[in-house]
Amino acid sequence: MGRYVVRRLLQMIPVFIGATLLIFLMVNVMGDPVAGLCGDRQCDPATAAQLRKEFGLDKPVWQQYLTYMGNVFTGDFGTAFNGQKVTELMSTAFPVTIRLTIVAILFEIVIGITLGVVTGLRRGRPVDTSVLVLTLVVISIPTFVTGLLLQLLLGVEWGWIAPSVSPEAPFDELILPGLVLASVSLAYVTRLTRTSIAENRRSDYVRTAVAKGLPRRRVITKHLLRNSLIPVVTFIGADVGFLMGGAIVTERIFNIHGVGYQLYQGILRQNTQTVVGFVTVLVLVFLVCNLVVDLLYAVLDPRIRYA
Amino acid sequence: MRGATHARWVACAAAAALAATACGGGGDGGGSSGGSAVLSASWTDPQNPLEPANTNEVQGGKVMDMIFRGLKRYDPKTGAAGDMLAEKIDTSDSQNFTITIKDGWTFSNGEKVTAQSFVDAWNYGASLKNNQKNAYFFGYIEGYDKVHPETGTQTADTMSGLKVVDDRTFTVKLIQKFSTFPDTLGYNAFVPLPKAFYDDHAAWLSKPVGNGPYTVESYTKGSEMNLRKWDGYAGTDKARNDGVTLKVYTDNNTAYTDLMAGNLDLVDDVPAQQLKNVGNDLGERYLNTPAGIIQTLAFPYYDENWAKPGMDKVRKGLSRAIDREQITETIFNRTRTPVTDWSSPVLGRDGGYDNKLCGEWCVYDPDAAKKLIAEGGGLPGGSIKITYNADAGSHKLWVDAVCNSINNALGKDNACVGNPVGTFADFRNQASQQKLSGPFRAGWQMDYPLLQNFLQPLYYTNASSNDGKWSNKDFDKLVDEANAEANTAKAISLFQKAEEVVRDNMAAIPLWYQNGSAGWSQRLSNVALNPFSVPVYNEIKVG
C-alpha cells in the first residue's frame, strides 16, 4: 500500500508541471494584460513598461514560466494587479469555497445516497418513479435557473434567508448555495446509487447473507451498500474538484467571494499570476482527490489493490 | 416592490436569528453594529491599489471622493469647479500659478494639511518609479519629463515646476499656457497626502488616511470597506449620515436582489435586465441621469483606407445610417441619450455643451447616408467590421444593433458586422498598438467636467487617448489657442470651434451619452449622482 501511494505521488509531478505550463501558455496567448489596466485610455508608455517589468512580462514566456515555478516552490505565487499577494487572495477565497464544497458534498452524500438506496430497494414502485422523474427535472434545469429562482423565492419574496452571502460566508449562509451547487451532481449520485443497488441486490453474496439469516439492516449496510458504493465514490471524488473550480455560476448568483469568482476576475483582467496560481492549486486538489478515491477503492473492496 | 418593508423585517430577523451579519449595515431597531444612520452601498473590487494618483476607474474613485478633498471640488449638481482647500489660485499669464490653501485643515490622523502635503503628493504621483497610472495628469507641470521620461530612467525625483513658498502657499509652473488648469485640480490625482502615506505605505494601503468627510474604519480587500463620518472634518460639506459600508458584489444583479430584499440600501448600477421592472420595484427611488460619459466609434487613421481623401464623407454617411433614437430606446431602455455633440450634457451650456453642434450629421437618414457613402467612394473593401470587447457590458448588443441599422440603411446584408474581442485587455491592446483595420468602440469618461477634457486627450495629435491617431493642424491650433486664453468664456468658444473641426471631418462618430443610474431603499433620502455618475454619499440622509 505504501509503495502504491508513493508511486501515485510521483506520477503527480509530470501532471502538475504539464497542467501549469498549459495554463500559463493559454493565459499568455491572450496578449498584454497591462493594456487593460488604464481603462479606456492608453497607459503612458513609460508606466506600461515599468509595470511590465515589475510583473516580469517583458521576459520571454519560457523564462517567465521558470521564474514563476521557481517562486511557487518557495510559496510565492506573485502579486495580483490590485497589489494583493495571490497567496492572500487564496487564503480568503479557498476557505469559502471549501466550505461551500463541503456543504454541497454533504448534500450529495446524505440526500443522494439515501434516495438512491431507498429507490434502489423499491424499484418500480411509486417512490422510485417519482424520484426518477424529480432527478430528471433537476438534471435538465441549468444551475443558474435553480439558483436565481430559489434566491428570488426564499430571499426576496418570502424573506427566509438573505439573498446574498456575507464576506465571512459561514456555513449556515451557505446551505442554499450549497444545495444549488450540489443539485445536478446530487441527482446523478441518486441515479448511480439506485442502479448499483438494484444490480447488486440480486447478487449471490446478498442472497447468501439473507440466507444466513442476517438482519436486513446489516445486509443492506455491510453487504449491499459497501459494494454498491464504488462507482458512487468515484463520482463524488471527481466531483470535489469540479465543484471547487466550477462554482463560478453559483458564486456569482449568491455573491460568494470564492475561487470561482477570483478565477473569473483573473481571466477578465488577464491576470496571469492569479489564474495560474488558483489553477495550480485546483490541479493539486484534483490529483489528491483522485488519489483518495483510489485508496478508498481498496478500503471498499480489498480485491482492487495495486492497480 | 410589494411588501418590501415586511420582507426586510423578516430578513433581518432571520439574519439575527442565524447570528449572521447585521442587516443593511446597522438598520432600524438598534442593531448590534455602531451608529444607526449607516448606509450600505454596492461596490466592485477596485482594479488598482487604492492610491489617489493610481485610481483611474469609478470604483476606486468613489472611495477617493469620500476620504479626500482637494484644492477644488466639482459641484455635484452643476459640475462647476469651486474652491475647496484652495483659498485662492492666482496667475497673471495662465502659466505660473500661486496657490494658497485654507487654514485649519487636517488629515484624520491629526496631521496638518500644508502646501508641502500637496507638493509631495504630486511629486509622488508623477514619479515613474511609483507606477502611478494617472501620472500623466502632472504632465503640464515643468520638470515632469525629468521625473517621468518616456523612455529610460528618471533623472529627478521632484518636479522643478513645484515650489513650496510657506506653510500655506506653493507655486506651480507649467510647460505651456493652460488657462483652465485650476479647474482640473478637483481631480482625485491632485489631492494632498499625509506623511503616513510615505512612512508606511503598506499600512496606508490597507487603511487609507485622508482629509475628507469620511474615514476608513476597516477595509477587507475584495469584500467590504467600512467608512465612518469623521467629526474633525474641516469642510462645509460634512457627511449627513454616520457612515457608508461599501460591499463588494460579484454581480450587480445580486446587488439589486439584495436591495429588493432589504439587505442593501443603495445600488449605483441598476442592471440592464432589471430596467423593465425598476419602475414597479422602486418607483420614485430610482434615478437615471446623464453622466460625463460618451460612446463613440473611432477609426484607424493609420490605415490608408481610412486616411485617403473623401473618407470623411463615408464616415458622415455611416453616422447618418445609425438610428440612435431607436437603439437607445430598445437596447438601452433610455439609459443612454442620443448625442448632439462630442462632449456631454453635464458640462451645461456655459461649460461648452451644445445641443445643436452635430446637427444633421447625427440624425438618422438612410437616403442621405447611402448618397454620402457613395460620394466618398464606398466602404473600404465593401464592408466594415466594428471591433469591441465582448467580456463586459452590453457592447455586443449595441454593436449588432448599429450594424443592423447601417445594413438596413444601405440595403446590404453584410455592409457591417461586429468583430468581438475576448477581453478588455486584449481589445485595448489591439487598439493602442494600431492593429485595427476598421471602426472600433471607443468610450470616454471625463476626468473633470471641462470641454477641454472631451477634446484634447482624444483628438489632439498623438494625445494619450487618440487611439485612431487622428491628426489635424486646425484642430491642434484651436486647442492651443483655447488653452492660452485666459477668459473662460472665450476659451470655451475656441474649444467649440475645435469641436467643429472634429465634426466637419467626422473624426469619430458620436453615438450616445451614458447615463448613471441608482436605486435605493426606503431608509434613504436626498440621493443624487454627481457628473461622474458616482452617488454623492455625504449628502445622503438615512432614516
PDB file of all heavy atoms in Angstrom, chain A residues 32 41 44 46-47 50 54 159 163-164 172-173 252-253 255 257 270, chain B residues 10 18 20 131 136 148 248-250 254 258 263 423 425 429 447 465:
ATOM      1  N   ASP A  32      -1.175  41.196 -23.982  1.00  0.00           N
ATOM      2  CA  ASP A  32      -0.565  42.011 -22.950  1.00  0.00           C
ATOM      3  C   ASP A  32      -1.607  42.532 -21.966  1.00  0.00           C
ATOM      4  O   ASP A  32      -2.445  43.354 -22.329  1.00  0.00           O
ATOM      5  CB  ASP A  32       0.152  43.175 -23.633  1.00  0.00           C
ATOM      6  CG  ASP A  32       0.795  44.091 -22.620  1.00  0.00           C
ATOM      7  OD1 ASP A  32       0.890  43.693 -21.450  1.00  0.00           O
ATOM      8  OD2 ASP A  32       1.197  45.191 -23.006  1.00  0.00           O
ATOM      9  N   ARG A  41      -8.200  54.369 -21.800  1.00  0.00           N
ATOM     10  CA  ARG A  41      -7.122  55.142 -22.404  1.00  0.00           C
ATOM     11  C   ARG A  41      -5.846  54.327 -22.383  1.00  0.00           C
ATOM     12  O   ARG A  41      -5.712  53.348 -21.662  1.00  0.00           O
ATOM     13  CB  ARG A  41      -6.924  56.459 -21.669  1.00  0.00           C
ATOM     14  CG  ARG A  41      -6.391  56.295 -20.265  1.00  0.00           C
ATOM     15  CD  ARG A  41      -5.806  57.588 -19.775  1.00  0.00           C
ATOM     16  NE  ARG A  41      -6.770  58.671 -19.754  1.00  0.00           N
ATOM     17  CZ  ARG A  41      -7.627  58.895 -18.762  1.00  0.00           C
ATOM     18  NH1 ARG A  41      -7.675  58.064 -17.745  1.00  0.00           N
ATOM     19  NH2 ARG A  41      -8.441  59.917 -18.777  1.00  0.00           N
ATOM     20  N   ASP A  44       0.496  55.387 -20.252  1.00  0.00           N
ATOM     21  CA  ASP A  44       1.624  56.070 -20.884  1.00  0.00           C
ATOM     22  C   ASP A  44       2.774  55.068 -20.973  1.00  0.00           C
ATOM     23  O   ASP A  44       2.935  54.211 -20.110  1.00  0.00           O
ATOM     24  CB  ASP A  44       1.981  57.371 -20.157  1.00  0.00           C
ATOM     25  CG  ASP A  44       2.744  57.147 -18.898  1.00  0.00           C
ATOM     26  OD1 ASP A  44       2.094  56.920 -17.856  1.00  0.00           O
ATOM     27  OD2 ASP A  44       3.971  57.168 -18.940  1.00  0.00           O
ATOM     28  N   ALA A  46       5.914  54.805 -20.588  1.00  0.00           N
ATOM     29  CA  ALA A  46       6.907  54.593 -19.530  1.00  0.00           C
ATOM     30  C   ALA A  46       6.314  53.778 -18.386  1.00  0.00           C
ATOM     31  O   ALA A  46       6.917  52.813 -17.907  1.00  0.00           O
ATOM     32  CB  ALA A  46       7.417  55.933 -19.018  1.00  0.00           C
ATOM     33  N   THR A  47       5.100  54.154 -17.947  1.00  0.00           N
ATOM     34  CA  THR A  47       4.465  53.425 -16.849  1.00  0.00           C
ATOM     35  C   THR A  47       4.167  51.991 -17.274  1.00  0.00           C
ATOM     36  O   THR A  47       4.389  51.052 -16.508  1.00  0.00           O
ATOM     37  CB  THR A  47       3.154  54.122 -16.429  1.00  0.00           C
ATOM     38  OG1 THR A  47       3.420  55.502 -16.223  1.00  0.00           O
ATOM     39  CG2 THR A  47       2.601  53.525 -15.166  1.00  0.00           C
ATOM     40  N   GLN A  50       7.263  50.011 -17.168  1.00  0.00           N
ATOM     41  CA  GLN A  50       7.632  49.785 -15.771  1.00  0.00           C
ATOM     42  C   GLN A  50       6.777  48.669 -15.151  1.00  0.00           C
ATOM     43  O   GLN A  50       7.289  47.792 -14.459  1.00  0.00           O
ATOM     44  CB  GLN A  50       7.412  51.104 -15.017  1.00  0.00           C
ATOM     45  CG  GLN A  50       7.660  51.025 -13.539  1.00  0.00           C
ATOM     46  CD  GLN A  50       9.072  51.466 -13.204  1.00  0.00           C
ATOM     47  OE1 GLN A  50       9.877  51.711 -14.105  1.00  0.00           O
ATOM     48  NE2 GLN A  50       9.367  51.569 -11.940  1.00  0.00           N
ATOM     49  N   GLU A  54       7.811  45.034 -13.723  1.00  0.00           N
ATOM     50  CA  GLU A  54       7.510  44.622 -12.357  1.00  0.00           C
ATOM     51  C   GLU A  54       6.813  43.260 -12.332  1.00  0.00           C
ATOM     52  O   GLU A  54       7.088  42.428 -11.478  1.00  0.00           O
ATOM     53  CB  GLU A  54       6.620  45.675 -11.704  1.00  0.00           C
ATOM     54  CG  GLU A  54       6.554  45.534 -10.202  1.00  0.00           C
ATOM     55  CD  GLU A  54       5.740  46.658  -9.588  1.00  0.00           C
ATOM     56  OE1 GLU A  54       6.192  47.813  -9.638  1.00  0.00           O
ATOM     57  OE2 GLU A  54       4.645  46.376  -9.091  1.00  0.00           O
ATOM     58  N   GLY A 159     -38.527  36.039   2.167  1.00  0.00           N
ATOM     59  CA  GLY A 159     -37.635  36.611   3.161  1.00  0.00           C
ATOM     60  C   GLY A 159     -37.114  35.627   4.199  1.00  0.00           C
ATOM     61  O   GLY A 159     -36.869  35.987   5.341  1.00  0.00           O
ATOM     62  N   PRO A 163     -30.515  37.021   0.540  1.00  0.00           N
ATOM     63  CA  PRO A 163     -30.242  36.548  -0.819  1.00  0.00           C
ATOM     64  C   PRO A 163     -28.760  36.477  -1.157  1.00  0.00           C
ATOM     65  O   PRO A 163     -28.367  35.783  -2.074  1.00  0.00           O
ATOM     66  CB  PRO A 163     -30.943  37.563  -1.717  1.00  0.00           C
ATOM     67  CG  PRO A 163     -31.546  38.579  -0.838  1.00  0.00           C
ATOM     68  CD  PRO A 163     -31.219  38.295   0.567  1.00  0.00           C
ATOM     69  N   SER A 164     -27.953  37.224  -0.440  1.00  0.00           N
ATOM     70  CA  SER A 164     -26.526  37.160  -0.735  1.00  0.00           C
ATOM     71  C   SER A 164     -25.761  36.717   0.504  1.00  0.00           C
ATOM     72  O   SER A 164     -26.229  36.894   1.622  1.00  0.00           O
ATOM     73  CB  SER A 164     -26.010  38.515  -1.202  1.00  0.00           C
ATOM     74  OG  SER A 164     -26.009  39.410  -0.121  1.00  0.00           O
ATOM     75  N   ASP A 172     -23.944  28.377   7.812  1.00  0.00           N
ATOM     76  CA  ASP A 172     -25.400  28.473   7.724  1.00  0.00           C
ATOM     77  C   ASP A 172     -25.860  29.274   6.507  1.00  0.00           C
ATOM     78  O   ASP A 172     -26.909  29.016   5.945  1.00  0.00           O
ATOM     79  CB  ASP A 172     -25.986  29.053   9.031  1.00  0.00           C
ATOM     80  CG  ASP A 172     -25.278  30.310   9.464  1.00  0.00           C
ATOM     81  OD1 ASP A 172     -24.474  30.827   8.666  1.00  0.00           O
ATOM     82  OD2 ASP A 172     -25.524  30.781  10.585  1.00  0.00           O
ATOM     83  N   GLU A 173     -25.056  30.260   6.093  1.00  0.00           N
ATOM     84  CA  GLU A 173     -25.454  31.044   4.928  1.00  0.00           C
ATOM     85  C   GLU A 173     -25.199  30.285   3.627  1.00  0.00           C
ATOM     86  O   GLU A 173     -25.699  30.663   2.575  1.00  0.00           O
ATOM     87  CB  GLU A 173     -24.687  32.374   4.895  1.00  0.00           C
ATOM     88  CG  GLU A 173     -25.160  33.342   5.960  1.00  0.00           C
ATOM     89  CD  GLU A 173     -24.448  34.671   5.881  1.00  0.00           C
ATOM     90  OE1 GLU A 173     -24.024  35.064   4.778  1.00  0.00           O
ATOM     91  OE2 GLU A 173     -24.314  35.307   6.926  1.00  0.00           O
ATOM     92  N   ARG A 252     -21.387  33.602  -8.305  1.00  0.00           N
ATOM     93  CA  ARG A 252     -21.843  34.906  -8.804  1.00  0.00           C
ATOM     94  C   ARG A 252     -23.247  35.219  -8.322  1.00  0.00           C
ATOM     95  O   ARG A 252     -23.526  36.319  -7.860  1.00  0.00           O
ATOM     96  CB  ARG A 252     -21.835  34.909 -10.332  1.00  0.00           C
ATOM     97  CG  ARG A 252     -20.651  35.619 -10.931  1.00  0.00           C
ATOM     98  CD  ARG A 252     -20.780  35.634 -12.429  1.00  0.00           C
ATOM     99  NE  ARG A 252     -21.498  36.824 -12.849  1.00  0.00           N
ATOM    100  CZ  ARG A 252     -20.893  37.897 -13.333  1.00  0.00           C
ATOM    101  NH1 ARG A 252     -19.592  37.927 -13.432  1.00  0.00           N
ATOM    102  NH2 ARG A 252     -21.584  38.933 -13.713  1.00  0.00           N
ATOM    103  N   ILE A 253     -24.115  34.229  -8.410  1.00  0.00           N
ATOM    104  CA  ILE A 253     -25.514  34.472  -8.032  1.00  0.00           C
ATOM    105  C   ILE A 253     -25.617  34.865  -6.566  1.00  0.00           C
ATOM    106  O   ILE A 253     -26.320  35.798  -6.211  1.00  0.00           O
ATOM    107  CB  ILE A 253     -26.373  33.224  -8.322  1.00  0.00           C
ATOM    108  CG1 ILE A 253     -26.455  32.995  -9.829  1.00  0.00           C
ATOM    109  CG2 ILE A 253     -27.768  33.365  -7.719  1.00  0.00           C
ATOM    110  CD1 ILE A 253     -27.151  31.724 -10.217  1.00  0.00           C
ATOM    111  N   ASN A 255     -23.244  35.950  -4.533  1.00  0.00           N
ATOM    112  CA  ASN A 255     -22.239  36.890  -4.067  1.00  0.00           C
ATOM    113  C   ASN A 255     -21.230  36.240  -3.120  1.00  0.00           C
ATOM    114  O   ASN A 255     -20.946  36.756  -2.046  1.00  0.00           O
ATOM    115  CB  ASN A 255     -22.909  38.077  -3.366  1.00  0.00           C
ATOM    116  CG  ASN A 255     -21.965  39.231  -3.175  1.00  0.00           C
ATOM    117  OD1 ASN A 255     -21.133  39.494  -4.042  1.00  0.00           O
ATOM    118  ND2 ASN A 255     -22.071  39.913  -2.055  1.00  0.00           N
ATOM    119  N   HIS A 257     -17.458  35.240  -2.446  1.00  0.00           N
ATOM    120  CA  HIS A 257     -16.147  35.611  -2.952  1.00  0.00           C
ATOM    121  C   HIS A 257     -15.188  34.436  -2.836  1.00  0.00           C
ATOM    122  O   HIS A 257     -14.279  34.439  -2.029  1.00  0.00           O
ATOM    123  CB  HIS A 257     -15.607  36.818  -2.183  1.00  0.00           C
ATOM    124  CG  HIS A 257     -16.523  38.000  -2.272  1.00  0.00           C
ATOM    125  ND1 HIS A 257     -16.431  38.922  -3.275  1.00  0.00           N
ATOM    126  CD2 HIS A 257     -17.569  38.373  -1.516  1.00  0.00           C
ATOM    127  CE1 HIS A 257     -17.378  39.832  -3.124  1.00  0.00           C
ATOM    128  NE2 HIS A 257     -18.086  39.526  -2.061  1.00  0.00           N
ATOM    129  N   GLN A 270      -7.011  39.407 -17.236  1.00  0.00           N
ATOM    130  CA  GLN A 270      -5.837  38.735 -17.788  1.00  0.00           C
ATOM    131  C   GLN A 270      -4.677  38.705 -16.813  1.00  0.00           C
ATOM    132  O   GLN A 270      -3.536  38.984 -17.148  1.00  0.00           O
ATOM    133  CB  GLN A 270      -5.414  39.415 -19.080  1.00  0.00           C
ATOM    134  CG  GLN A 270      -6.173  38.841 -20.254  1.00  0.00           C
ATOM    135  CD  GLN A 270      -5.700  39.435 -21.552  1.00  0.00           C
ATOM    136  OE1 GLN A 270      -6.428  40.135 -22.183  1.00  0.00           O
ATOM    137  NE2 GLN A 270      -4.496  39.170 -21.953  1.00  0.00           N
TER     138      GLN A 270
ATOM    139  N   VAL B  10     -38.402  40.576   8.014  1.00  0.00           N
ATOM    140  CA  VAL B  10     -38.228  39.133   8.156  1.00  0.00           C
ATOM    141  C   VAL B  10     -36.762  38.755   7.927  1.00  0.00           C
ATOM    142  O   VAL B  10     -36.178  37.987   8.685  1.00  0.00           O
ATOM    143  CB  VAL B  10     -39.128  38.366   7.154  1.00  0.00           C
ATOM    144  CG1 VAL B  10     -38.872  36.876   7.265  1.00  0.00           C
ATOM    145  CG2 VAL B  10     -40.591  38.672   7.445  1.00  0.00           C
ATOM    146  N   LEU B  18     -29.856  33.796  12.853  1.00  0.00           N
ATOM    147  CA  LEU B  18     -28.752  32.973  12.391  1.00  0.00           C
ATOM    148  C   LEU B  18     -27.413  33.533  12.845  1.00  0.00           C
ATOM    149  O   LEU B  18     -26.372  33.019  12.501  1.00  0.00           O
ATOM    150  CB  LEU B  18     -28.762  32.884  10.867  1.00  0.00           C
ATOM    151  CG  LEU B  18     -29.924  32.085  10.262  1.00  0.00           C
ATOM    152  CD1 LEU B  18     -29.972  32.319   8.770  1.00  0.00           C
ATOM    153  CD2 LEU B  18     -29.783  30.624  10.583  1.00  0.00           C
ATOM    154  N   ALA B  20     -25.989  35.963  11.786  1.00  0.00           N
ATOM    155  CA  ALA B  20     -25.224  36.343  10.610  1.00  0.00           C
ATOM    156  C   ALA B  20     -24.941  37.834  10.673  1.00  0.00           C
ATOM    157  O   ALA B  20     -25.025  38.446  11.734  1.00  0.00           O
ATOM    158  CB  ALA B  20     -26.019  36.004   9.361  1.00  0.00           C
ATOM    159  N   ASN B 131       4.935  53.960 -10.424  1.00  0.00           N
ATOM    160  CA  ASN B 131       3.946  53.269 -11.276  1.00  0.00           C
ATOM    161  C   ASN B 131       2.536  53.822 -11.177  1.00  0.00           C
ATOM    162  O   ASN B 131       1.575  53.063 -11.233  1.00  0.00           O
ATOM    163  CB  ASN B 131       3.830  51.791 -10.868  1.00  0.00           C
ATOM    164  CG  ASN B 131       5.014  51.011 -11.314  1.00  0.00           C
ATOM    165  OD1 ASN B 131       5.744  51.464 -12.189  1.00  0.00           O
ATOM    166  ND2 ASN B 131       5.209  49.847 -10.728  1.00  0.00           N
ATOM    167  N   TYR B 136       0.237  60.979 -15.848  1.00  0.00           N
ATOM    168  CA  TYR B 136       0.224  61.963 -16.940  1.00  0.00           C
ATOM    169  C   TYR B 136      -0.572  63.220 -16.591  1.00  0.00           C
ATOM    170  O   TYR B 136      -0.488  64.213 -17.286  1.00  0.00           O
ATOM    171  CB  TYR B 136      -0.310  61.327 -18.219  1.00  0.00           C
ATOM    172  CG  TYR B 136      -1.738  60.900 -18.113  1.00  0.00           C
ATOM    173  CD1 TYR B 136      -2.753  61.751 -18.526  1.00  0.00           C
ATOM    174  CD2 TYR B 136      -2.080  59.663 -17.572  1.00  0.00           C
ATOM    175  CE1 TYR B 136      -4.079  61.380 -18.413  1.00  0.00           C
ATOM    176  CE2 TYR B 136      -3.388  59.283 -17.456  1.00  0.00           C
ATOM    177  CZ  TYR B 136      -4.378  60.137 -17.868  1.00  0.00           C
ATOM    178  OH  TYR B 136      -5.681  59.759 -17.739  1.00  0.00           O
ATOM    179  N   HIS B 148       9.495  61.652 -15.132  1.00  0.00           N
ATOM    180  CA  HIS B 148       8.731  60.632 -15.830  1.00  0.00           C
ATOM    181  C   HIS B 148       9.076  60.656 -17.315  1.00  0.00           C
ATOM    182  O   HIS B 148       8.249  61.017 -18.147  1.00  0.00           O
ATOM    183  CB  HIS B 148       7.231  60.894 -15.629  1.00  0.00           C
ATOM    184  CG  HIS B 148       6.380  59.698 -15.914  1.00  0.00           C
ATOM    185  ND1 HIS B 148       5.633  59.067 -14.962  1.00  0.00           N
ATOM    186  CD2 HIS B 148       6.168  59.004 -17.059  1.00  0.00           C
ATOM    187  CE1 HIS B 148       4.992  58.052 -15.498  1.00  0.00           C
ATOM    188  NE2 HIS B 148       5.302  57.992 -16.771  1.00  0.00           N
ATOM    189  N   VAL B 248     -18.674  44.628  -1.610  1.00  0.00           N
ATOM    190  CA  VAL B 248     -18.299  44.164  -2.945  1.00  0.00           C
ATOM    191  C   VAL B 248     -19.287  43.111  -3.423  1.00  0.00           C
ATOM    192  O   VAL B 248     -19.581  42.149  -2.705  1.00  0.00           O
ATOM    193  CB  VAL B 248     -16.880  43.575  -2.946  1.00  0.00           C
ATOM    194  CG1 VAL B 248     -16.555  42.939  -4.286  1.00  0.00           C
ATOM    195  CG2 VAL B 248     -15.872  44.662  -2.627  1.00  0.00           C
ATOM    196  N   TYR B 249     -19.831  43.320  -4.613  1.00  0.00           N
ATOM    197  CA  TYR B 249     -20.737  42.341  -5.201  1.00  0.00           C
ATOM    198  C   TYR B 249     -20.096  41.691  -6.411  1.00  0.00           C
ATOM    199  O   TYR B 249     -19.432  42.343  -7.203  1.00  0.00           O
ATOM    200  CB  TYR B 249     -22.064  42.997  -5.582  1.00  0.00           C
ATOM    201  CG  TYR B 249     -22.983  43.103  -4.397  1.00  0.00           C
ATOM    202  CD1 TYR B 249     -22.955  44.227  -3.588  1.00  0.00           C
ATOM    203  CD2 TYR B 249     -23.812  42.054  -4.047  1.00  0.00           C
ATOM    204  CE1 TYR B 249     -23.767  44.306  -2.473  1.00  0.00           C
ATOM    205  CE2 TYR B 249     -24.618  42.126  -2.941  1.00  0.00           C
ATOM    206  CZ  TYR B 249     -24.604  43.251  -2.156  1.00  0.00           C
ATOM    207  OH  TYR B 249     -25.393  43.313  -1.047  1.00  0.00           O
ATOM    208  N   THR B 250     -20.339  40.392  -6.537  1.00  0.00           N
ATOM    209  CA  THR B 250     -19.790  39.673  -7.682  1.00  0.00           C
ATOM    210  C   THR B 250     -20.580  40.002  -8.938  1.00  0.00           C
ATOM    211  O   THR B 250     -20.099  39.843 -10.037  1.00  0.00           O
ATOM    212  CB  THR B 250     -19.879  38.153  -7.444  1.00  0.00           C
ATOM    213  OG1 THR B 250     -21.206  37.866  -6.997  1.00  0.00           O
ATOM    214  CG2 THR B 250     -18.896  37.718  -6.397  1.00  0.00           C
ATOM    215  N   THR B 254     -27.074  40.589  -8.247  1.00  0.00           N
ATOM    216  CA  THR B 254     -27.195  40.171  -6.854  1.00  0.00           C
ATOM    217  C   THR B 254     -27.386  41.384  -5.957  1.00  0.00           C
ATOM    218  O   THR B 254     -28.167  41.360  -5.008  1.00  0.00           O
ATOM    219  CB  THR B 254     -25.945  39.392  -6.426  1.00  0.00           C
ATOM    220  OG1 THR B 254     -25.651  38.448  -7.427  1.00  0.00           O
ATOM    221  CG2 THR B 254     -26.168  38.698  -5.118  1.00  0.00           C
ATOM    222  N   ASP B 258     -30.448  42.061  -3.504  1.00  0.00           N
ATOM    223  CA  ASP B 258     -30.254  42.393  -2.094  1.00  0.00           C
ATOM    224  C   ASP B 258     -31.003  43.672  -1.728  1.00  0.00           C
ATOM    225  O   ASP B 258     -31.540  43.795  -0.629  1.00  0.00           O
ATOM    226  CB  ASP B 258     -28.764  42.566  -1.797  1.00  0.00           C
ATOM    227  CG  ASP B 258     -28.242  41.448  -0.913  1.00  0.00           C
ATOM    228  OD1 ASP B 258     -29.035  40.541  -0.607  1.00  0.00           O
ATOM    229  OD2 ASP B 258     -27.061  41.491  -0.536  1.00  0.00           O
ATOM    230  N   ASN B 263     -31.547  44.072   2.165  1.00  0.00           N
ATOM    231  CA  ASN B 263     -30.223  43.864   2.750  1.00  0.00           C
ATOM    232  C   ASN B 263     -29.241  44.946   2.370  1.00  0.00           C
ATOM    233  O   ASN B 263     -28.112  44.964   2.839  1.00  0.00           O
ATOM    234  CB  ASN B 263     -29.642  42.547   2.249  1.00  0.00           C
ATOM    235  CG  ASN B 263     -30.102  41.399   3.097  1.00  0.00           C
ATOM    236  OD1 ASN B 263     -30.515  41.603   4.229  1.00  0.00           O
ATOM    237  ND2 ASN B 263     -30.051  40.214   2.550  1.00  0.00           N
ATOM    238  N   THR B 423     -11.304  39.760 -24.400  1.00  0.00           N
ATOM    239  CA  THR B 423     -11.211  40.501 -23.147  1.00  0.00           C
ATOM    240  C   THR B 423     -10.912  41.966 -23.404  1.00  0.00           C
ATOM    241  O   THR B 423     -10.422  42.346 -24.461  1.00  0.00           O
ATOM    242  CB  THR B 423     -10.079  39.961 -22.246  1.00  0.00           C
ATOM    243  OG1 THR B 423      -8.844  40.142 -22.941  1.00  0.00           O
ATOM    244  CG2 THR B 423     -10.279  38.507 -21.899  1.00  0.00           C
ATOM    245  N   ALA B 425      -8.639  43.743 -21.984  1.00  0.00           N
ATOM    246  CA  ALA B 425      -7.198  43.979 -22.116  1.00  0.00           C
ATOM    247  C   ALA B 425      -6.737  43.732 -23.542  1.00  0.00           C
ATOM    248  O   ALA B 425      -5.960  44.501 -24.113  1.00  0.00           O
ATOM    249  CB  ALA B 425      -6.432  43.095 -21.143  1.00  0.00           C
ATOM    250  N   ASN B 429      -5.288  46.385 -26.135  1.00  0.00           N
ATOM    251  CA  ASN B 429      -4.014  46.042 -26.732  1.00  0.00           C
ATOM    252  C   ASN B 429      -4.025  46.308 -28.232  1.00  0.00           C
ATOM    253  O   ASN B 429      -3.149  46.978 -28.772  1.00  0.00           O
ATOM    254  CB  ASN B 429      -3.819  44.541 -26.513  1.00  0.00           C
ATOM    255  CG  ASN B 429      -2.412  44.220 -26.182  1.00  0.00           C
ATOM    256  OD1 ASN B 429      -1.588  45.115 -26.099  1.00  0.00           O
ATOM    257  ND2 ASN B 429      -2.132  42.959 -25.995  1.00  0.00           N
ATOM    258  N   ASP B 447     -12.442  63.111 -16.987  1.00  0.00           N
ATOM    259  CA  ASP B 447     -11.680  63.187 -15.746  1.00  0.00           C
ATOM    260  C   ASP B 447     -12.156  64.368 -14.919  1.00  0.00           C
ATOM    261  O   ASP B 447     -12.197  64.325 -13.707  1.00  0.00           O
ATOM    262  CB  ASP B 447     -10.198  63.361 -16.053  1.00  0.00           C
ATOM    263  CG  ASP B 447      -9.667  62.231 -16.892  1.00  0.00           C
ATOM    264  OD1 ASP B 447      -9.921  61.082 -16.532  1.00  0.00           O
ATOM    265  OD2 ASP B 447      -9.024  62.499 -17.919  1.00  0.00           O
ATOM    266  N   SER B 465      -5.082  59.454 -25.489  1.00  0.00           N
ATOM    267  CA  SER B 465      -6.154  58.522 -25.830  1.00  0.00           C
ATOM    268  C   SER B 465      -6.582  58.621 -27.281  1.00  0.00           C
ATOM    269  O   SER B 465      -7.665  58.187 -27.644  1.00  0.00           O
ATOM    270  CB  SER B 465      -7.358  58.768 -24.936  1.00  0.00           C
ATOM    271  OG  SER B 465      -7.023  58.419 -23.634  1.00  0.00           O
TER     272      SER B 465
END
